């Protein structure tokens, strides 16, 4: 049979090979079979099942199940169904119609987070329906090591599938921001979503990072996959052994990760990294109609701190403008946006946006090792303006009896001005943003094609001198200097930075293993 390739969305990285196993369509979610029960009892039964599952589940799964329990406990959820039953509708039909309306509403939401919640509601619908009708699922039978194919999965059905050790999962629908994708990433189960149609059979190879499913692969494709998988396994095994012991030329090296979206970073990565060296807080602001509130932000920072288990979390305040426009906030028609109102300049221009973020950071800092970093800083006045806003926010939180702590305040070194005059800044730490520092040093836009792109060379002597100047100023001030631009995620760049005196590197999660190995392999001086 000829090889066919199907493209979907990359939802959880990893390579999987095995026979394709079709997941039976759920008559109901996995759970105890009982009933038929009246609506009130069916709701209570579904809630009990979910509470029992949550009690056994790991942290992230327990949180998702707890969210479902909360929804089930909300009396408003079944109001429509109750009214329809009172008016004479059959309970199963009334419940189905009521839940389908919610599911359609959530599924049509523009915000991908809200849209992804439709799967949670479908899960609840199926559980209650099973209790209402007395029809449950047959026990799930899946051969271990299979690539499981389904139209879509609810979180609890995912957990049932995950318990059967699949090699990977291929979904016709779903989304990389869904709870299922979050769970898959945390468990290291490769997942591809949005394949369009459910694949129907054959042998499968799945590349979760590429969003690729190959059916009935040719021998050459199988061999290439096997080589990749063996390489990845060997690298991961070697890198895992090195966790926590990284040193170079006899000096400790701190290796943290950059996080663009906490939902997209696996617990395994947070476990091996020395912390988060850059949380790009834009994930809270992008792709939505309204700005995130103080509570939502405080919760998001606290959640990531919890997952880090005492390791440091460096949160960068909102960094939009330039190559990261945010409709409604950034100016649409700046003649030169990279030199315009971006990063900390924009936040200071709109204190009504910065204030809630600072308050949320002060609150989260009361619960762990959180540090705050300002983007695109050019002059010390910018830091002082933020410090003043922070002091105001702290006083107000304290007056209201809300726990808060002033976090260490640092800056990104992304402008030659900050690199060359670092001694003038009153800061607790600095982190070089090489992506921006290169473009501002060589006057070569970071998103330009062709000849301009070739000018943007992170190894140019002018950039090297600015890095050296920053390291020297950091030493003189007695503060930590790290580098969190993409240069550190390239093994060659990481070694170059170690030679320049940088001992703290913050890298993309996918680069953690390869940078760790490169540093380890180069740790001894060679003649
Ligand atoms: C940088 O400029 O190097 C950096 C890490 O920030 P960003 O890429 O988010 O601008
Ligand atoms: Mg930058």
């Amino acid at each position: 049979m000829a090889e066919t390739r199907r493209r979907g969305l990359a939802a959880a990285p990893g390579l999987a090979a095995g026979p394709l196993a079709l997941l039976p369509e759920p008559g109901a979610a996995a759970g105890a079979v009982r009933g038929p029960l009246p609506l009130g009892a069916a709701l209570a039964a579904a809630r009990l099942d979910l509470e029992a599952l949550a009690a056994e589940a790991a942290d992230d799964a327990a949180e998702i199940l707890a969210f479902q329990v909360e929804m089930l406990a909300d009396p408003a959820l079944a109001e429509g169904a109750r009214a329809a039953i009172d008016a004479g509708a059959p309970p199963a039909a009334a419940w189905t119609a009521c839940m389908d309306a919610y599911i359609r509403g959530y599924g049509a939401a523009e915000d991908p987070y809200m849209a992804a919640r439709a799967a949670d509601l479908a899960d609840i619908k199926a559980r209650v329906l099973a209790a209402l009708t007395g029809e449950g699922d047959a026990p799930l039978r899946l051969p271990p090591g299979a690539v499981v194919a389904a139209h879509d999965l609810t979180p609890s059905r995912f957990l049932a599938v995950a318990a059967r050790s699949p090699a990977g999962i291929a979904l016709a629908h779903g989304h990389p921001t869904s709870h299922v994708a979050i769970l898959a990433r945390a468990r290291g189960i490769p997942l591809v979503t949005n394949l369009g149609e459910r694949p129907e059979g054959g042998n499968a190879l799945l590349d979760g990072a590429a969003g690729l499913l190959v059916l009935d692969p040719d021998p050459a494709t199988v061999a290439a996959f096997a080589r990749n998988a063996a390489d990845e396994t060997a690298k991961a095994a070697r890198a895992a052994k090195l966790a926590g012991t990284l040193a170079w030329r006899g000096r400790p090296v701190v290796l943290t990760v950059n996080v663009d979206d906490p939902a997209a970073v696996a617990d395994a990565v947070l476990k091996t990294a020395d912390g988060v060296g850059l949380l790009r807080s834009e994930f809270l602001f992008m792709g939505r109609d309204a700005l995130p509130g103080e509570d939502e932000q405080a919760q998001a920072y606290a959640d990531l701190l919890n997952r880090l288990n005492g390791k440091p979390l460096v949160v960068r305040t909102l960094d939009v403008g330039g190559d990261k426009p945010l409709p409604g906030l950034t100016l649409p028609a700046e003649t030169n946006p990279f030199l315009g109102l971006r990063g900390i300049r924009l936040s200071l221009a709109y204190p009504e946006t910065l204030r809630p973020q600072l308050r949320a950071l002060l609150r989260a800092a009361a619960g762990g090792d959180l540090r705050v970093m300002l983007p695109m800083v050019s002059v010390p006045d910018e830091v002082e303006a933020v410090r003043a806003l922070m002091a105001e926010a702290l006083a107000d939180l304290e007056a209201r009896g809300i726990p808060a702590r002033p976090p260490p305040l640092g800056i990104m070194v992304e402008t030659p001005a900050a690199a060359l005059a670092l001694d003038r800044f009153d800061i607790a730490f600095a982190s070089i943003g090489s992506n921006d520092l290169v473009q501002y040093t060589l006057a070569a836009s970071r998103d330009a094609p062709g000849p301009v792109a070739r000018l943007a060379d992170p190894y140019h002597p002018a950039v090297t001198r600015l890095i050296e100047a920053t390291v020297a100023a950091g030493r003189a001030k007695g503060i930590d200097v790290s580098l969190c631009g993409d240069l550190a995620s390239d093994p060659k760049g990481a070694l170059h930075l170690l030679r320049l005196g940088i001992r703290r590197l913050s890298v993309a999660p996918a680069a953690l293993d390869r940078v760790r190995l490169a540093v380890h392999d180069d740790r001894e001086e060679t003649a």
Side-chain angles (χ1 to χ4, degrees):
M1 197 175 269
E3 165 177 310
T4 53
R5 289 176 171 244
R6 307 264 300 269
R7 292 258 163 213
L9 294 180
L15 298 169
L20 203 69
L22 302 187
L23 192 68
E25 286 308 305
V33 180
R34 54 161 89 76
L37 298 173
L39 183 61
L43 288 166
R47 199 168 142 193
L48 276 178
D49 284 349
L50 281 168
E51 280 170 349
L53 262 182
E56 283 172 20
D59 282 1
D60 52 355
E63 225 172 79
I64 289 168
L65 293 166
F67 171 74
Q68 294 186 340
V69 169
E70 226 172 83
M71 282 188 132
L72 260 176
D74 181 353
L77 183 78
E79 240 168 40
R82 272 199 200 93
I85 293 168
D86 288 347
W95 171 250
T96 302
C98 163
M99 290 306 286
D100 283 350
Y102 285 127
I103 293 166
R104 268 197 306 277
Y106 272 75
E110 268 182 29
D111 178 351
Y113 178 85
M114 297 302 279
R117 300 294 74 77
D120 296 333
L121 285 161
D123 204 354
I124 291 174
K125 170 189 154 189
R127 276 177 184 283
V128 175
L129 199 59
L132 275 174
T133 58
E135 292 163 17
D137 256 353
L140 202 52
R141 277 188 229 288
L142 288 170
V147 174
V148 176
H151 290 292
D152 202 354
L153 280 180
T154 60
S156 71
R157 202 152 164 81
F158 168 84
L159 292 172
V161 172
R164 274 129 190 111
S165 310
I169 301 178
L171 297 180
H173 308 294
H175 199 272
T177 58
S178 70
H179 273 150
V180 167
I182 295 167
L183 292 171
R185 286 191 290 269
R187 279 161 185 69
I189 298 175
L191 171 68
V192 175
T193 63
N194 299 83
L195 286 160
E197 278 168 29
R198 185 180 72 166
E200 290 302 327
N203 272 323
L205 295 175
L206 185 91
D207 183 338
L212 175 69
L213 175 73
V214 185
L215 293 171
D216 299 311
D218 296 338
T221 309
V222 174
F225 247 71
R227 275 196 304 276
N228 274 352
D231 277 2
E232 291 301 315
T233 311
K235 265 195 212 147
R238 275 191 67 213
K241 283 202 199 110
L242 304 177
T245 61
L246 203 58
W248 189 83
R249 309 288 195 256
R251 297 257 176 94
V253 172
V254 175
L255 193 55
T256 55
V257 280
N258 297 343
V259 173
D260 298 334
D261 175 2
V265 66
D267 286 338
V269 166
L270 297 181
K271 213 181 232 172
T272 46
D274 295 322
V276 169
L278 165 65
L279 172 63
R280 291 180 163 106
S281 64
E282 295 80 70
F283 78 97
L284 284 162
F285 294 79
M286 297 290 194
R288 53 191 291 168
D289 294 334
L291 294 172
E294 177 184 324
D295 288 349
E296 180 186 345
Q297 292 191 57
Q299 190 61 50
Y301 306 138
D303 285 347
L304 187 54
L305 263 182
N306 280 342
R307 290 175 66 197
L308 280 165
N309 234 332
K311 290 190 280 197
L313 166 61
V314 178
V315 183
R316 180 175 74 185
T317 58
L318 182 64
D319 183 22
V320 288
D323 58 331
K324 291 176 275 196
L326 185 61
L329 200 58
T330 48
L331 303 178
E334 282 182 296
T335 46
N336 201 338
F338 276 122
L339 301 184
L341 199 59
R342 59 166 302 209
I344 197 60
R345 302 171 185 180
L346 188 95
S347 291
L348 287 169
Y350 298 106
E352 64 278 17
T353 305
L354 180 57
R355 266 196 202 100
Q357 181 162 41
L358 294 178
R359 290 171 66 91
L361 289 166
L362 286 160
R363 284 167 57 184
D369 185 352
L370 182 143
R371 308 167 193 183
V372 173
M373 180 157 77
L374 310 180
M376 261 300 289
V377 170
S378 325
V379 295
D381 277 358
E382 291 162 331
V383 179
E384 295 319 313
V386 172
R387 207 189 313 277
L389 286 173
M390 250 188 191
E392 253 175 46
L394 182 67
D396 184 68
L397 289 166
E398 281 174 350
R400 291 166 195 265
I402 300 171
R405 186 181 69 89
L409 185 59
I411 63 166
M412 295 211 46
V413 174
E414 297 178 289
T415 60
L420 292 172
L422 197 69
D423 56 305
R424 299 179 57 233
F425 288 85
D426 178 8
I427 45 172
F429 64 93
S431 189
I432 300 171
S434 51
N435 306 339
D436 277 312
L437 186 61
V438 169
Q439 74 161 345
Y440 291 128
T441 304
L442 288 147
S445 168
R446 66 191 272 179
D447 57 2
V452 176
R454 279 193 289 283
L455 272 177
D457 171 16
Y459 298 95
H460 188 284
V463 176
T464 298
R465 285 175 204 166
L466 289 172
I467 294 173
E468 285 171 335
T470 309
V471 170
R475 280 207 187 119
K477 287 170 90 66
I479 61 168
D480 287 336
V481 171
S482 61
L483 188 138
C484 60
D486 288 343
L487 183 56
S489 292
D490 173 3
K492 175 177 155 224
L495 297 179
H496 168 68
L497 294 167
L498 290 173
R499 284 184 217 107
L500 296 180
I502 300 265
R503 292 289 175 272
R504 293 171 170 263
L505 304 168
S506 200
V507 305
L512 188 64
D513 283 351
R514 61 171 188 265
V515 170
R516 189 187 295 285
L517 286 179
V519 173
H520 178 77
D521 290 347
D522 193 63
R523 69 195 178 282
E524 310 290 359
E525 193 95 47
T526 45

